[in-house]
Amino acid sequence: MSEVTDDKDARIVVYCAVGGRAEKAKAKLEELGITNVENGGGFDDVKDRFQ
């Protein structure tokens, strides 16, 4: 995480192929004290949202 940011309140959107692994990643980041994590869902969901 420190390679990306040291700010535990930074907005982080995780995603994967369809969203299941992103939910696991979100939970792990929250366990580590990251407070602003969002499951963006699958790649297509994120791609459409952030274009």
Side-chain angles (χ1 to χ4, degrees):
M1 187 64 201
S2 64
E3 291 179 22
V4 177
T5 183
D6 290 324
D7 181 0
K8 291 193 176 211
D9 296 321
R11 180 176 183 227
I12 298 176
V13 179
V14 291
Y15 65 93
C16 62
V18 292
R21 287 171 293 186
E23 188 59 34
K24 290 179 183 179
K26 177 183 183 288
K28 186 60 177 178
L29 288 168
E30 290 173 337
E31 285 177 23
L32 296 171
I34 310 302
T35 60
N36 193 9
V37 184
E38 177 184 343
N39 179 350
F43 176 74
D44 288 336
D45 300 322
V46 173
K47 180 180 69 170
D48 293 341
R49 226 170 100 195
F50 291 98
Q51 280 185 338

